[in-house]
Amino acid sequence: MIAAALPILYPRELLRSFGVLPVELWGPPGTKTAIADRWLQAYTCSIIRGGLAFLAGGGQDHADIILVPHGCDSLQGLGSVLLDFPVLSKPALSFYHPRTRSRASVDYLEAEIESLAEELQKITGREATDALEATIREEEADSVLAKLLAGRLQVALSCRDYYRLVRCREYLPAEQFTALARPWLSSESGPSSAMPVLLSGVVPEPSGLLDALNEAGAVVVADDTIACGRRLTPEGRDQSAYRRMAERMASAPPCPTRGASVEERSRHLLDLAKRSGAKAVVFAVVKFCEPELFQLPLLKTALERAGLRTTILEVDVTEPLPQQLKTRMEALLETMS
Amino acid sequence: MSAAGRLRYLFGVHIAGRAALRFERLRSEHKMRSRESWRHRHLERPLDVSPRLKELISRHYLTGRYANGARKVAWVTSGAPIEVLTALNIFPIYPENHGAVCGIRRTAEEYCKHAEAAGYSRDLCSYARTDIGSILSGKTPVGRLPRPDVLICCTNICQTVLYWYQVLAHHFGVPLVIIDTPFLYREAPSHAVAFVKNQIEDSIPVLERIAGRSLSHGRLRDVTRMSRDACELWLRIVESGRMKPSPITAFDQFIHLAPIVEMRGHRYTVDYYASMLRELNTRVGRGMGALKDERKRLLWDNLPIWFRVRWLGDLLAERGVSLVASTYTNAWAELADMIDPERPLDSCASVYLHPILNRGTGHKLETMKRMIDYYEVDGVLLHSDRSCKPYSIGQLPQRESLSSEAGVPALLIEADHNDPRSFSEEQVRNRLDAFLEVLGV
């Protein structure tokens, strides 16, 4: 079975233990969003409008379940609309990740995972099997992804191809992703003269953004996007599968969608920049994305105080990258060269 | 807390301030009584309790003005569990209400621009931009806002408040207490109630440290009782819109809502709403409506357009259309029976998990359908509020269902609760004209 999963706060391993493969929807690029106008206002972000338009326009035929985790007010709205109105023909599920970090949050998360498991059982008509093994397989895949993201310069791929590989994590089964990505960990590439940048924001879309970075003489050496860097969760310790899933989710890198503060995020970004040698931070922010937009002024100030250059590119993931944003990126890199 | 601060507070609030505000109220009451004829062509005269409302709100902000140095101050979201704070004598300031005051006084746009100049996107909530801009510019129409000692953010109205209060915490360098209330797509699961209660319990020692005193459970029970009493009275006030003609409009409710939001848990709030209800009952007894000639009745959904409340009120009144109810003002009334003073923390967890904004779009649709029947309305105005996604997303399928299932026409008005730049007067007027024609007025 396939679950069309909107971003991003959900336990992949739980779905796998029910024989469901989550395939994430981040737009998708090129989707005509007009079909979503019937249910969503124009001030909803392009990821959500695009996701709904894709599903309503026939994409749901490829899915058995629609999963809308609660990552922000707009995802909340979409999930609620899908649960309450006959918009799509496939069953919808929701999942709430707490915005605080404490033992009580992990307890809540574990109970929420159990609730989702009950829903999955009803839909799939089967029990979860090998949930702990499924979790360990996801942990291995995350470990490979973490190494791939940390060793970007060893991978002799253009930014576009590199992210094509990284983002297989959004839809491939964990074991297939691990098998596909692991060989790249031992690859080697020559020294790079490109300007090292850290990519933050929501998602490395539209892909023209990555081409524009390369063309302007830059290379992404570290990632803090919600779609990639912020999905990395460490290995769990607990031998109870659901508790382990909850612990892992609660330990992901700081993200405003999970309630991380500005201070936590600036520390994390500065650490990423230091470890990767990044000289600038590019924020690829989706228009109307409140979780990201609120923190940007303070993050920008903190990063610039530490000597990093920053630029903000506000994008629509369903549209090509506007020339104006390419020019802004070029201007940033020119001032640094 | 300093002796000088306490003295300033005592004199500014309890002696000079109280006397000045009382004098101002008496003057207004006298003026209202002596006014020979109320000149508005379509609206009946304002409620006699209105000067008392002005006194209450002014006293609240006056207390805030002198609070630093005399009392601990918390900046809180409108859906935060206020009872513990009140029982600890921590003074609450509501940035959202301050935002609404800025909207009504037409200063919000200026503050929003300050926030935008500092890098805050125009796509962010206009309350947040108003508040951040007010802080950055140091300007406010209420004189002065006290600096917070703690911030309390409850996510039961939106996630926006979480990011907004993180900005405030960074700016003021004070503790931020988050009460995270998982969104209820369906009935509240027991683990969600337990999670909220746990967070409220965890917040108590933090607040006790800030307040410099221990929480008295007897005091908490009393405060909770007064919160419940005020909410029950408010419920009866909004329900008086059921009468024909309605003695109150949603526009009146938007203004008289301030004490139930800002001053729950106080005797004076209960007394105020008791007086207001008595006056409304008297008007009902005399067959006196809020409009001189009520011809049609509408339901409002979402926050008000604060900077156009009067404009919209007049526009509807001149067509004989009374906005008799609103889901927004109903939100502070509908949970009254969940408040249990004998189980203050348990009921607190449950009540603060259940506001309409923390529940699904289907629940809101059912609420609107119930209100359509109860208030016998002829149509619904849905304010599609660019700044409030939790309230607005879902309105498009809701509008379809209202027409097809409830059989009432519904109009979607694109606007914003606080930023006039996202409002087109002509467009709204044209759409309203067409809608009212359908209603036959």
Side-chain angles (χ1 to χ4, degrees), chain A residues 36-41 43-45 68-81 83-85 94-100 102 104-105 108 111-112 115 256-263 287-291 293-298 314, chain B residues 118-121 123-125 128 132 155 158-160 162-164 166-167 169-170 178 180-183 185-186 189 191-192 195 198-199 202 357-363 365 384-390 392-398 400-401 412 414:
Chain A
D37 290 348
R38 189 175 155 199
W39 302 287
L40 296 174
Q41 283 95 334
Y43 46 78
T44 318
C45 85
V68 190
H70 188 301
C72 63
D73 288 328
S74 299
L75 278 165
Q76 166 187 302
L78 174 64
S80 188
V81 165
L83 280 161
D84 291 337
F85 294 95
S94 60
F95 184 83
Y96 189 88
H97 190 298
R99 268 51 172 177
T100 53
S102 64
S105 316
Y108 171 82
E112 187 73 353
S115 292
T257 60
R258 289 188 298 268
S261 67
V262 178
E263 288 76 13
K287 189 169 170 61
F288 300 119
C289 177
E290 279 205 335
L293 288 169
F294 257 105
Q295 295 192 337
L296 283 182
L298 296 175
E314 203 171 89
Chain B
Y120 293 94
S121 167
D123 292 330
L124 297 175
C125 162
I132 293 168
T155 60
C158 59
Q159 297 294 312
T160 301
L162 176 60
Y163 321 126
W164 171 5
Q166 285 171 339
V167 172
H170 183 90
I178 297 169
D180 180 21
T181 50
F183 184 75
Y185 295 92
R186 295 281 181 259
H191 63 273
F195 179 47
N198 189 298
Q199 294 173 82
D202 283 352
L357 274 174
N358 204 46
R359 305 191 69 177
T361 48
H363 170 79
L365 176 63
S384 172
D385 183 348
R386 198 175 188 275
S387 275
C388 190
K389 293 188 181 78
S392 305
I393 295 179
Q395 284 177 323
L396 292 165
Q398 283 162 358
E400 277 186 25
S401 298
L412 201 76
E414 293 287 348

Side-chain angles (χ1 to χ4, degrees), chain A residues 24 26 36 53 84 93 128 138 218 240 281 312 314:
Chain A
E24 291 175 16
W26 292 84
D84 291 337
L93 293 174
E138 295 294 332
S240 146
V281 182
I312 297 168
E314 203 171 89

Side-chain angles (χ1 to χ4, degrees), chain A residues 239-252:
Chain A
Q239 290 308 302
S240 146
Y242 292 171
R243 186 72 186 180
R244 188 167 175 138
M245 290 175 198
E247 282 176 357
R248 264 165 53 72
M249 290 189 81
S251 311

Side-chain angles (χ1 to χ4, degrees), chain B residues 398-441:
Chain B
Q398 283 162 358
R399 180 181 57 178
E400 277 186 25
S401 298
L402 289 173
S403 303
S404 62
E405 295 166 22
V408 293
L411 176 73
L412 201 76
I413 299 173
E414 293 287 348
D416 187 284
H417 58 249
N418 239 29
D419 191 341
R421 292 169 294 171
S422 299
F423 178 80
S424 165
E425 188 171 306
E426 273 316 296
Q427 197 180 56
V428 172
R429 186 194 293 273
N430 288 339
R431 286 175 62 77
L432 266 171
D433 280 345
F435 182 70
L436 296 179
E437 263 180 44
V438 170
L439 291 180
V441 288

